[in-house]
Amino acid sequence: MIGRFVHGPWNEPLSQLAGKPVRVARTEREGDGVDRGRRAGASLVSTGSLDALGVAAGATRPVDGRRFRMTIGVDGLEPHAEDDWIGSRVRLGGAVVAVRENVGRCAVTTLDPDSGIRDLDTLGVIAAYRGDVPTREPLPFGVWGEVVEPGPVAVGDPVEVDPQ
């Protein structure tokens, strides 16, 4: 992957927030910075899964989905129903996503998305109640897929699974 440092006014404020030097970088080719390569254009997590995580964690308030940096949040599903979409195509509004695999989670999910303070042991909770899920990804929570038909997606759009 080829990239370059981006110059601008954000390095100093980000460094202060992180408590150590930070420099913003950009890949030269679009898509090179995606952690699962060019095929991983979308990630999906259901609110049912977020609710189940909250119950398992004993949380006193709903788990904020922003922790998981998903592209699409889906309402109206049983917890982890999105796991069953692996290998299927899912129409989301005007787009179609070929769901490839679970998303393995990292320590960023333990941080409050507003403050950046570690406040929920998401990894320990996921390991405790999802550790036996057969997947290539450790600590599975949500799914990722390739956008095979780009199109507009809006809040309230229908979600339709085509098992192929």
Side-chain angles (χ1 to χ4, degrees), residues 95-158:
V96 176
V97 173
V99 179
R100 303 292 186 205
E101 185 60 74
N102 286 103
V103 177
R105 295 304 178 168
C106 69
V108 170
T109 64
T110 67
L111 307 176
D112 178 279
D114 289 321
S115 69
I117 295 171
R118 187 165 310 210
D119 68 343
L120 182 62
D121 182 17
T122 54
L123 302 182
V125 175
I126 293 169
Y129 93 101
R130 300 226 351 121
D132 61 347
V133 173
T135 179
R136 291 183 295 204
E137 295 279 347
L139 304 172
F141 198 84
V143 294
W144 66 268
E146 176 182 2
V147 177
V148 293
E149 285 183 36
V153 180
V155 173
D157 278 350

Short mmCIF file of all heavy atoms in Angstrom, two decimals, residues 95-158:
data_model
loop_
_atom_site.label_atom_id
_atom_site.label_comp_id
_atom_site.label_asym_id
_atom_site.label_seq_id
_atom_site.Cartn_x
_atom_site.Cartn_y
_atom_site.Cartn_z
N ALA A 95 -29.25 -0.43 -2.87
CA ALA A 95 -27.95 -1.09 -2.98
C ALA A 95 -28.08 -2.58 -2.68
O ALA A 95 -29.02 -3.00 -2.00
CB ALA A 95 -26.95 -0.46 -2.01
N VAL A 96 -27.13 -3.35 -3.18
CA VAL A 96 -27.06 -4.78 -2.86
C VAL A 96 -25.65 -5.06 -2.34
O VAL A 96 -24.65 -4.68 -2.95
CB VAL A 96 -27.36 -5.66 -4.09
CG1 VAL A 96 -27.19 -7.13 -3.74
CG2 VAL A 96 -28.78 -5.40 -4.60
N VAL A 97 -25.60 -5.78 -1.20
CA VAL A 97 -24.35 -6.16 -0.56
C VAL A 97 -24.26 -7.68 -0.53
O VAL A 97 -25.21 -8.35 -0.10
CB VAL A 97 -24.27 -5.59 0.87
CG1 VAL A 97 -23.05 -6.11 1.61
CG2 VAL A 97 -24.29 -4.07 0.85
N ALA A 98 -23.14 -8.23 -1.02
CA ALA A 98 -22.86 -9.66 -0.88
C ALA A 98 -22.14 -9.84 0.46
O ALA A 98 -21.00 -9.40 0.63
CB ALA A 98 -21.99 -10.14 -2.03
N VAL A 99 -22.83 -10.45 1.43
CA VAL A 99 -22.29 -10.57 2.78
C VAL A 99 -21.25 -11.70 2.79
O VAL A 99 -21.55 -12.83 2.39
CB VAL A 99 -23.41 -10.82 3.80
CG1 VAL A 99 -22.83 -10.97 5.20
CG2 VAL A 99 -24.43 -9.68 3.76
N ARG A 100 -20.04 -11.37 3.24
CA ARG A 100 -18.91 -12.31 3.16
C ARG A 100 -18.59 -13.02 4.47
O ARG A 100 -18.32 -14.20 4.47
CB ARG A 100 -17.66 -11.57 2.68
CG ARG A 100 -17.81 -10.88 1.35
CD ARG A 100 -17.96 -11.88 0.24
NE ARG A 100 -17.97 -11.19 -1.05
CZ ARG A 100 -18.54 -11.67 -2.12
NH1 ARG A 100 -19.14 -12.83 -2.10
NH2 ARG A 100 -18.51 -10.97 -3.24
N GLU A 101 -18.55 -12.26 5.59
CA GLU A 101 -18.05 -12.86 6.83
C GLU A 101 -18.40 -11.98 8.01
O GLU A 101 -18.81 -10.84 7.85
CB GLU A 101 -16.52 -13.01 6.72
CG GLU A 101 -15.85 -13.72 7.87
CD GLU A 101 -16.32 -15.14 8.10
OE1 GLU A 101 -15.98 -16.04 7.32
OE2 GLU A 101 -17.07 -15.35 9.08
N ASN A 102 -18.22 -12.55 9.21
CA ASN A 102 -18.37 -11.76 10.43
C ASN A 102 -17.26 -10.72 10.52
O ASN A 102 -16.20 -10.88 9.91
CB ASN A 102 -18.26 -12.66 11.68
CG ASN A 102 -19.49 -13.49 11.90
OD1 ASN A 102 -19.48 -14.68 11.61
ND2 ASN A 102 -20.54 -12.88 12.41
N VAL A 103 -17.51 -9.69 11.31
CA VAL A 103 -16.48 -8.70 11.61
C VAL A 103 -15.89 -9.06 12.97
O VAL A 103 -16.63 -9.16 13.95
CB VAL A 103 -17.06 -7.27 11.67
CG1 VAL A 103 -15.98 -6.27 12.05
CG2 VAL A 103 -17.71 -6.89 10.36
N GLY A 104 -14.59 -9.30 13.02
CA GLY A 104 -13.91 -9.50 14.29
C GLY A 104 -13.66 -8.13 14.91
O GLY A 104 -13.31 -7.18 14.22
N ARG A 105 -13.84 -8.00 16.19
CA ARG A 105 -13.78 -6.70 16.84
C ARG A 105 -12.47 -6.47 17.58
O ARG A 105 -11.78 -7.40 17.97
CB ARG A 105 -14.96 -6.53 17.78
CG ARG A 105 -16.28 -6.52 17.02
CD ARG A 105 -16.27 -5.43 15.95
NE ARG A 105 -17.50 -5.42 15.17
CZ ARG A 105 -17.83 -4.46 14.35
NH1 ARG A 105 -17.04 -3.43 14.18
NH2 ARG A 105 -18.95 -4.51 13.68
N CYS A 106 -12.16 -5.18 17.77
CA CYS A 106 -10.91 -4.77 18.41
C CYS A 106 -11.21 -3.87 19.60
O CYS A 106 -12.36 -3.55 19.90
CB CYS A 106 -10.02 -4.04 17.40
SG CYS A 106 -10.67 -2.43 16.92
N ALA A 107 -10.14 -3.41 20.25
CA ALA A 107 -10.27 -2.62 21.48
C ALA A 107 -10.96 -1.28 21.29
O ALA A 107 -11.46 -0.70 22.26
CB ALA A 107 -8.90 -2.41 22.09
N VAL A 108 -11.04 -0.77 20.07
CA VAL A 108 -11.73 0.51 19.85
C VAL A 108 -13.18 0.44 20.33
O VAL A 108 -13.73 1.42 20.81
CB VAL A 108 -11.64 0.93 18.36
CG1 VAL A 108 -12.54 2.11 18.06
CG2 VAL A 108 -10.21 1.25 17.99
N THR A 109 -13.80 -0.74 20.24
CA THR A 109 -15.20 -0.88 20.64
C THR A 109 -15.41 -0.71 22.14
O THR A 109 -16.54 -0.54 22.58
CB THR A 109 -15.77 -2.24 20.19
OG1 THR A 109 -15.07 -3.29 20.88
CG2 THR A 109 -15.66 -2.42 18.70
N THR A 110 -14.34 -0.76 22.91
CA THR A 110 -14.47 -0.58 24.37
C THR A 110 -14.56 0.89 24.76
O THR A 110 -14.82 1.21 25.91
CB THR A 110 -13.27 -1.21 25.11
OG1 THR A 110 -12.08 -0.49 24.80
CG2 THR A 110 -13.11 -2.68 24.75
N LEU A 111 -14.35 1.79 23.78
CA LEU A 111 -14.30 3.22 24.06
C LEU A 111 -15.64 3.90 23.80
O LEU A 111 -16.30 3.62 22.80
CB LEU A 111 -13.24 3.89 23.17
CG LEU A 111 -11.85 3.29 23.21
CD1 LEU A 111 -10.95 3.99 22.20
CD2 LEU A 111 -11.26 3.35 24.60
N ASP A 112 -16.02 4.80 24.69
CA ASP A 112 -17.21 5.61 24.48
C ASP A 112 -16.98 6.47 23.23
O ASP A 112 -15.96 7.15 23.13
CB ASP A 112 -17.44 6.51 25.70
CG ASP A 112 -18.63 7.41 25.51
OD1 ASP A 112 -18.48 8.46 24.85
OD2 ASP A 112 -19.71 7.09 26.03
N PRO A 113 -17.91 6.44 22.25
CA PRO A 113 -17.67 7.18 21.01
C PRO A 113 -17.65 8.70 21.17
O PRO A 113 -17.11 9.39 20.31
CB PRO A 113 -18.82 6.75 20.10
CG PRO A 113 -19.79 6.04 20.94
CD PRO A 113 -19.13 5.65 22.22
N ASP A 114 -18.20 9.22 22.24
CA ASP A 114 -18.17 10.67 22.45
C ASP A 114 -16.92 11.12 23.20
O ASP A 114 -16.31 12.12 22.85
CB ASP A 114 -19.41 11.13 23.22
CG ASP A 114 -20.66 11.05 22.37
OD1 ASP A 114 -20.59 11.36 21.16
OD2 ASP A 114 -21.71 10.66 22.91
N SER A 115 -16.52 10.37 24.23
CA SER A 115 -15.41 10.81 25.07
C SER A 115 -14.09 10.13 24.75
O SER A 115 -13.04 10.64 25.10
CB SER A 115 -15.75 10.54 26.55
OG SER A 115 -15.77 9.13 26.78
N GLY A 116 -14.14 8.96 24.12
CA GLY A 116 -12.92 8.20 23.87
C GLY A 116 -12.41 7.48 25.10
O GLY A 116 -11.33 6.88 25.09
N ILE A 117 -13.20 7.48 26.16
CA ILE A 117 -12.81 6.83 27.42
C ILE A 117 -13.30 5.38 27.40
O ILE A 117 -14.45 5.10 27.05
CB ILE A 117 -13.38 7.59 28.63
CG1 ILE A 117 -12.75 8.98 28.69
CG2 ILE A 117 -13.17 6.82 29.93
CD1 ILE A 117 -13.39 9.90 29.70
N ARG A 118 -12.43 4.48 27.83
CA ARG A 118 -12.79 3.06 27.93
C ARG A 118 -13.84 2.90 29.03
O ARG A 118 -13.58 3.22 30.19
CB ARG A 118 -11.55 2.25 28.25
CG ARG A 118 -11.78 0.76 28.20
CD ARG A 118 -10.47 0.07 28.18
NE ARG A 118 -9.72 0.74 27.12
CZ ARG A 118 -8.79 0.18 26.37
NH1 ARG A 118 -8.47 -1.04 26.56
NH2 ARG A 118 -8.17 0.86 25.43
N ASP A 119 -15.03 2.43 28.64
CA ASP A 119 -16.10 2.35 29.63
C ASP A 119 -16.94 1.08 29.52
O ASP A 119 -17.85 0.89 30.32
CB ASP A 119 -17.02 3.58 29.53
CG ASP A 119 -17.82 3.61 28.24
OD1 ASP A 119 -17.47 2.89 27.27
OD2 ASP A 119 -18.81 4.36 28.19
N LEU A 120 -16.64 0.20 28.56
CA LEU A 120 -17.43 -1.03 28.42
C LEU A 120 -16.51 -2.12 27.87
O LEU A 120 -15.90 -1.94 26.81
CB LEU A 120 -18.61 -0.81 27.47
CG LEU A 120 -19.55 -1.98 27.26
CD1 LEU A 120 -20.24 -2.38 28.56
CD2 LEU A 120 -20.61 -1.62 26.21
N ASP A 121 -16.42 -3.24 28.57
CA ASP A 121 -15.56 -4.34 28.15
C ASP A 121 -16.24 -5.15 27.05
O ASP A 121 -16.61 -6.31 27.25
CB ASP A 121 -15.19 -5.22 29.33
CG ASP A 121 -14.26 -6.36 28.96
OD1 ASP A 121 -13.63 -6.30 27.87
OD2 ASP A 121 -14.17 -7.32 29.74
N THR A 122 -16.43 -4.52 25.90
CA THR A 122 -17.11 -5.20 24.80
C THR A 122 -16.41 -6.50 24.41
O THR A 122 -17.07 -7.50 24.14
CB THR A 122 -17.20 -4.29 23.56
OG1 THR A 122 -15.89 -3.84 23.24
CG2 THR A 122 -18.13 -3.12 23.80
N LEU A 123 -15.09 -6.50 24.39
CA LEU A 123 -14.35 -7.68 23.95
C LEU A 123 -14.53 -8.85 24.91
O LEU A 123 -14.74 -10.00 24.48
CB LEU A 123 -12.87 -7.35 23.77
CG LEU A 123 -12.57 -6.22 22.79
CD1 LEU A 123 -11.08 -6.01 22.66
CD2 LEU A 123 -13.21 -6.47 21.44
N GLY A 124 -14.47 -8.57 26.21
CA GLY A 124 -14.68 -9.63 27.19
C GLY A 124 -16.09 -10.18 27.13
O GLY A 124 -16.30 -11.40 27.22
N VAL A 125 -17.05 -9.28 26.95
CA VAL A 125 -18.46 -9.72 26.88
C VAL A 125 -18.69 -10.53 25.61
O VAL A 125 -19.31 -11.60 25.65
CB VAL A 125 -19.42 -8.51 26.95
CG1 VAL A 125 -20.86 -8.95 26.76
CG2 VAL A 125 -19.26 -7.79 28.28
N ILE A 126 -18.19 -10.05 24.47
CA ILE A 126 -18.36 -10.80 23.21
C ILE A 126 -17.69 -12.16 23.33
O ILE A 126 -18.25 -13.18 22.92
CB ILE A 126 -17.82 -10.00 22.01
CG1 ILE A 126 -18.68 -8.76 21.76
CG2 ILE A 126 -17.77 -10.88 20.75
CD1 ILE A 126 -18.08 -7.76 20.78
N ALA A 127 -16.49 -12.21 23.90
CA ALA A 127 -15.79 -13.49 24.08
C ALA A 127 -16.60 -14.44 24.96
O ALA A 127 -16.68 -15.64 24.68
CB ALA A 127 -14.41 -13.26 24.67
N ALA A 128 -17.24 -13.90 26.00
CA ALA A 128 -17.98 -14.74 26.94
C ALA A 128 -19.24 -15.31 26.31
O ALA A 128 -19.58 -16.48 26.54
CB ALA A 128 -18.33 -13.93 28.19
N TYR A 129 -19.96 -14.52 25.51
CA TYR A 129 -21.23 -15.04 25.02
C TYR A 129 -21.23 -15.37 23.53
O TYR A 129 -22.20 -15.96 23.04
CB TYR A 129 -22.40 -14.13 25.43
CG TYR A 129 -22.82 -13.07 24.45
CD1 TYR A 129 -23.95 -13.24 23.64
CD2 TYR A 129 -22.14 -11.86 24.36
CE1 TYR A 129 -24.35 -12.25 22.77
CE2 TYR A 129 -22.55 -10.88 23.50
CZ TYR A 129 -23.65 -11.08 22.70
OH TYR A 129 -24.05 -10.10 21.83
N ARG A 130 -20.15 -15.03 22.80
CA ARG A 130 -20.09 -15.37 21.37
C ARG A 130 -18.81 -16.12 21.02
O ARG A 130 -18.55 -16.35 19.85
CB ARG A 130 -20.16 -14.09 20.53
CG ARG A 130 -21.42 -13.33 20.75
CD ARG A 130 -22.17 -12.83 19.59
NE ARG A 130 -21.67 -12.86 18.27
CZ ARG A 130 -22.28 -13.50 17.27
NH1 ARG A 130 -23.38 -14.17 17.48
NH2 ARG A 130 -21.79 -13.46 16.06
N GLY A 131 -18.03 -16.49 22.00
CA GLY A 131 -16.74 -17.12 21.75
C GLY A 131 -16.81 -18.45 21.03
O GLY A 131 -15.83 -18.88 20.43
N ASP A 132 -17.97 -19.09 21.06
CA ASP A 132 -18.09 -20.40 20.40
C ASP A 132 -18.69 -20.30 19.00
O ASP A 132 -18.95 -21.31 18.36
CB ASP A 132 -18.93 -21.35 21.26
CG ASP A 132 -20.35 -20.84 21.48
OD1 ASP A 132 -20.63 -19.66 21.19
OD2 ASP A 132 -21.18 -21.63 21.95
N VAL A 133 -18.90 -19.09 18.49
CA VAL A 133 -19.45 -18.92 17.14
C VAL A 133 -18.37 -19.32 16.13
O VAL A 133 -17.27 -18.80 16.16
CB VAL A 133 -19.88 -17.45 16.91
CG1 VAL A 133 -20.30 -17.23 15.46
CG2 VAL A 133 -21.01 -17.08 17.85
N PRO A 134 -18.70 -20.28 15.24
CA PRO A 134 -17.70 -20.71 14.25
C PRO A 134 -17.49 -19.62 13.19
O PRO A 134 -18.38 -19.31 12.42
CB PRO A 134 -18.31 -21.97 13.63
CG PRO A 134 -19.78 -21.84 13.86
CD PRO A 134 -19.95 -21.00 15.10
N THR A 135 -16.32 -19.02 13.19
CA THR A 135 -16.01 -17.93 12.27
C THR A 135 -14.50 -17.84 12.10
O THR A 135 -13.75 -18.30 12.95
CB THR A 135 -16.58 -16.59 12.77
OG1 THR A 135 -16.22 -15.56 11.86
CG2 THR A 135 -16.08 -16.25 14.15
N ARG A 136 -14.09 -17.25 11.00
CA ARG A 136 -12.66 -17.02 10.78
C ARG A 136 -12.18 -15.79 11.54
O ARG A 136 -11.00 -15.56 11.69
CB ARG A 136 -12.37 -16.83 9.29
CG ARG A 136 -12.58 -18.12 8.51
CD ARG A 136 -12.23 -17.91 7.08
NE ARG A 136 -13.17 -16.95 6.49
CZ ARG A 136 -13.45 -16.87 5.22
NH1 ARG A 136 -12.86 -17.67 4.37
NH2 ARG A 136 -14.32 -15.99 4.76
N GLU A 137 -13.11 -14.96 12.00
CA GLU A 137 -12.77 -13.72 12.70
C GLU A 137 -12.90 -13.92 14.21
O GLU A 137 -13.88 -14.47 14.68
CB GLU A 137 -13.72 -12.61 12.28
CG GLU A 137 -13.61 -12.22 10.83
CD GLU A 137 -12.45 -11.28 10.56
OE1 GLU A 137 -11.87 -10.74 11.52
OE2 GLU A 137 -12.12 -11.10 9.38
N PRO A 138 -11.92 -13.45 14.98
CA PRO A 138 -12.07 -13.52 16.44
C PRO A 138 -13.08 -12.48 16.92
O PRO A 138 -13.21 -11.43 16.30
CB PRO A 138 -10.67 -13.21 16.95
CG PRO A 138 -10.05 -12.39 15.86
CD PRO A 138 -10.65 -12.87 14.57
N LEU A 139 -13.78 -12.79 17.98
CA LEU A 139 -14.73 -11.86 18.60
C LEU A 139 -15.73 -11.31 17.59
O LEU A 139 -15.82 -10.10 17.36
CB LEU A 139 -13.99 -10.74 19.31
CG LEU A 139 -12.97 -11.21 20.36
CD1 LEU A 139 -12.15 -10.04 20.87
CD2 LEU A 139 -13.64 -11.95 21.49
N PRO A 140 -16.54 -12.19 16.98
CA PRO A 140 -17.45 -11.76 15.91
C PRO A 140 -18.62 -10.94 16.42
O PRO A 140 -19.30 -11.31 17.37
CB PRO A 140 -17.94 -13.09 15.33
CG PRO A 140 -17.87 -14.05 16.48
CD PRO A 140 -16.66 -13.61 17.28
N PHE A 141 -18.84 -9.80 15.73
CA PHE A 141 -19.98 -8.95 16.07
C PHE A 141 -20.34 -8.15 14.84
O PHE A 141 -19.65 -7.20 14.48
CB PHE A 141 -19.66 -8.03 17.25
CG PHE A 141 -20.87 -7.47 17.91
CD1 PHE A 141 -21.55 -8.18 18.88
CD2 PHE A 141 -21.36 -6.22 17.55
CE1 PHE A 141 -22.69 -7.67 19.48
CE2 PHE A 141 -22.49 -5.70 18.14
CZ PHE A 141 -23.17 -6.42 19.11
N GLY A 142 -21.41 -8.54 14.15
CA GLY A 142 -21.81 -7.93 12.90
C GLY A 142 -21.18 -8.66 11.72
O GLY A 142 -20.45 -9.64 11.90
N VAL A 143 -21.48 -8.18 10.53
CA VAL A 143 -20.97 -8.80 9.31
C VAL A 143 -20.44 -7.73 8.36
O VAL A 143 -20.80 -6.57 8.46
CB VAL A 143 -22.06 -9.64 8.59
CG1 VAL A 143 -22.47 -10.83 9.44
CG2 VAL A 143 -23.28 -8.79 8.23
N TRP A 144 -19.58 -8.14 7.43
CA TRP A 144 -19.09 -7.24 6.40
C TRP A 144 -19.38 -7.85 5.04
O TRP A 144 -19.54 -9.05 4.91
CB TRP A 144 -17.61 -6.92 6.56
CG TRP A 144 -16.66 -8.08 6.37
CD1 TRP A 144 -16.19 -8.92 7.33
CD2 TRP A 144 -16.08 -8.51 5.13
NE1 TRP A 144 -15.35 -9.85 6.78
CE2 TRP A 144 -15.26 -9.62 5.43
CE3 TRP A 144 -16.16 -8.08 3.82
CZ2 TRP A 144 -14.53 -10.30 4.45
CZ3 TRP A 144 -15.43 -8.76 2.84
CH2 TRP A 144 -14.63 -9.85 3.17
N GLY A 145 -19.47 -6.97 4.05
CA GLY A 145 -19.75 -7.46 2.71
C GLY A 145 -19.28 -6.52 1.63
O GLY A 145 -18.88 -5.38 1.88
N GLU A 146 -19.36 -7.03 0.43
CA GLU A 146 -18.96 -6.29 -0.77
C GLU A 146 -20.19 -5.66 -1.40
O GLU A 146 -21.22 -6.33 -1.59
CB GLU A 146 -18.34 -7.28 -1.75
CG GLU A 146 -17.95 -6.71 -3.07
CD GLU A 146 -17.37 -7.76 -4.00
OE1 GLU A 146 -17.30 -8.95 -3.63
OE2 GLU A 146 -17.01 -7.39 -5.12
N VAL A 147 -20.11 -4.40 -1.73
CA VAL A 147 -21.20 -3.72 -2.42
C VAL A 147 -21.14 -4.18 -3.88
O VAL A 147 -20.20 -3.86 -4.60
CB VAL A 147 -21.08 -2.19 -2.32
CG1 VAL A 147 -22.19 -1.52 -3.12
CG2 VAL A 147 -21.12 -1.75 -0.86
N VAL A 148 -22.14 -4.96 -4.29
CA VAL A 148 -22.16 -5.48 -5.67
C VAL A 148 -23.07 -4.66 -6.57
O VAL A 148 -22.96 -4.74 -7.79
CB VAL A 148 -22.52 -6.98 -5.72
CG1 VAL A 148 -21.42 -7.81 -5.07
CG2 VAL A 148 -23.85 -7.26 -5.05
N GLU A 149 -23.99 -3.91 -5.98
CA GLU A 149 -24.83 -2.96 -6.71
C GLU A 149 -24.90 -1.68 -5.89
O GLU A 149 -25.64 -1.61 -4.92
CB GLU A 149 -26.25 -3.50 -6.91
CG GLU A 149 -26.40 -4.56 -7.95
CD GLU A 149 -27.86 -4.97 -8.13
OE1 GLU A 149 -28.77 -4.11 -8.02
OE2 GLU A 149 -28.09 -6.17 -8.35
N PRO A 150 -24.12 -0.67 -6.26
CA PRO A 150 -24.19 0.59 -5.52
C PRO A 150 -25.57 1.23 -5.71
O PRO A 150 -26.21 1.04 -6.75
CB PRO A 150 -23.12 1.46 -6.19
CG PRO A 150 -22.27 0.54 -6.98
CD PRO A 150 -23.12 -0.64 -7.33
N GLY A 151 -26.01 1.95 -4.71
CA GLY A 151 -27.28 2.66 -4.79
C GLY A 151 -27.56 3.39 -3.52
O GLY A 151 -26.87 3.20 -2.51
N PRO A 152 -28.56 4.25 -3.53
CA PRO A 152 -28.88 5.03 -2.32
C PRO A 152 -29.50 4.15 -1.24
O PRO A 152 -30.27 3.23 -1.53
CB PRO A 152 -29.89 6.06 -2.83
CG PRO A 152 -30.50 5.44 -4.04
CD PRO A 152 -29.44 4.58 -4.66
N VAL A 153 -29.14 4.45 0.00
CA VAL A 153 -29.69 3.77 1.17
C VAL A 153 -30.08 4.86 2.16
O VAL A 153 -29.30 5.76 2.43
CB VAL A 153 -28.65 2.82 1.82
CG1 VAL A 153 -29.26 2.13 3.04
CG2 VAL A 153 -28.14 1.81 0.82
N ALA A 154 -31.31 4.77 2.67
CA ALA A 154 -31.81 5.78 3.60
C ALA A 154 -32.44 5.11 4.81
O ALA A 154 -32.86 3.95 4.75
CB ALA A 154 -32.83 6.67 2.90
N VAL A 155 -32.52 5.86 5.89
CA VAL A 155 -33.19 5.38 7.10
C VAL A 155 -34.60 4.95 6.73
O VAL A 155 -35.32 5.66 6.02
CB VAL A 155 -33.23 6.49 8.18
CG1 VAL A 155 -34.07 6.06 9.36
CG2 VAL A 155 -31.81 6.84 8.62
N GLY A 156 -34.99 3.76 7.18
CA GLY A 156 -36.33 3.25 6.93
C GLY A 156 -36.46 2.41 5.67
O GLY A 156 -37.51 1.82 5.42
N ASP A 157 -35.40 2.34 4.85
CA ASP A 157 -35.45 1.51 3.64
C ASP A 157 -35.63 0.05 4.01
O ASP A 157 -35.11 -0.41 5.05
CB ASP A 157 -34.16 1.64 2.82
CG ASP A 157 -34.15 2.88 1.93
OD1 ASP A 157 -35.20 3.53 1.81
OD2 ASP A 157 -33.07 3.18 1.38
N PRO A 158 -36.32 -0.71 3.16
CA PRO A 158 -36.47 -2.14 3.44
C PRO A 158 -35.14 -2.87 3.29
O PRO A 158 -34.26 -2.45 2.54
CB PRO A 158 -37.47 -2.60 2.36
CG PRO A 158 -37.39 -1.58 1.29
CD PRO A 158 -37.00 -0.29 1.94
#
